Amino acid sequence: MMTRDILVRGVAAIVLSILACGAAAPADQFPFDQEFLLDAAPMRPGKRMPILLVEPNGNAKIDLWCKSVPARVEISDMTMKIELGPLPEGLPEMLSAGQCTPERMQADQDLLMVLAQVTGWQRQNEGIILLGPSPLKFRPSDH
């Protein structure tokens, strides 16, 4: 009988430890080190789509429609602030046909303006939504 009580207490302690560890890690933790593709219609004729990648230290790389910019991302719970680096003056070295049309370069400017106004984020299935005046939906990249 005494060994049964010890066994039951031991199992209960293990279960409580597992539950406590699970509760300490929030279910909506930001998915660092994962590429997220902007969920938008492609801009033809180029194939490039905007991609967001945020490292755990807050450094980020944002591939826009034409160019790429570095960024610094501050995340606290469900709030987010994005400090964008400067947009490079020159065109990317590896240009595909149609990658940097005037429309795509204007779309870069427009996307930068929206990213600068992000105030929060939330998970949506496997993807994320950046919240602000104009929410941006991103899905995991498949490459």
Side-chain angles (χ1 to χ4, degrees):
M1 178 90 162
M2 189 167 174
T3 56
R4 182 173 175 250
D5 284 345
I6 292 172
L7 181 63
V8 169
R9 288 181 192 163
V11 169
I14 291 170
V15 169
L16 287 173
S17 295
I18 291 170
L19 291 174
C21 289
D28 287 340
Q29 189 172 17
F30 190 85
F32 294 104
D33 289 329
Q34 185 174 352
E35 285 189 346
F36 284 93
L37 190 67
L38 182 65
D39 193 10
M43 288 182 82
R44 300 288 179 211
K47 294 181 181 179
R48 181 176 166 133
M49 294 289 292
I51 293 177
L52 170 69
L53 173 67
V54 180
E55 298 173 2
N57 64 6
N59 291 334
K61 179 182 176 202
I62 303 171
D63 293 334
L64 303 166
W65 293 102
C66 177
K67 299 179 180 184
S68 297
V69 295
R72 183 89 185 128
V73 179
E74 294 178 23
I75 298 173
S76 175
D77 295 321
M78 304 311 284
T79 63
M80 175 184 270
K81 179 182 178 187
I82 301 174
E83 294 178 26
L84 298 159
L87 190 63
E89 292 289 326
L91 295 175
E93 290 181 22
M94 304 294 284
L95 269 178
S96 62
Q99 181 174 319
C100 286
T101 62
E103 293 81 18
R104 282 176 161 269
M105 291 178 17
Q106 181 59 53
D108 278 3
Q109 293 292 338
D110 296 343
L111 185 53
L112 286 173
M113 202 164 41
V114 173
L115 287 167
Q117 297 177 42
V118 167
T119 58
W121 72 279
Q122 68 184 33
R123 286 283 256 189
Q124 184 179 51
N125 301 321
E126 296 298 312
I128 57 173
I129 299 176
L130 303 186
L131 305 171
S134 300
L136 296 169
K137 185 176 176 182
F138 287 83
R139 58 183 167 81
S141 175
D142 55 5
H143 70 277

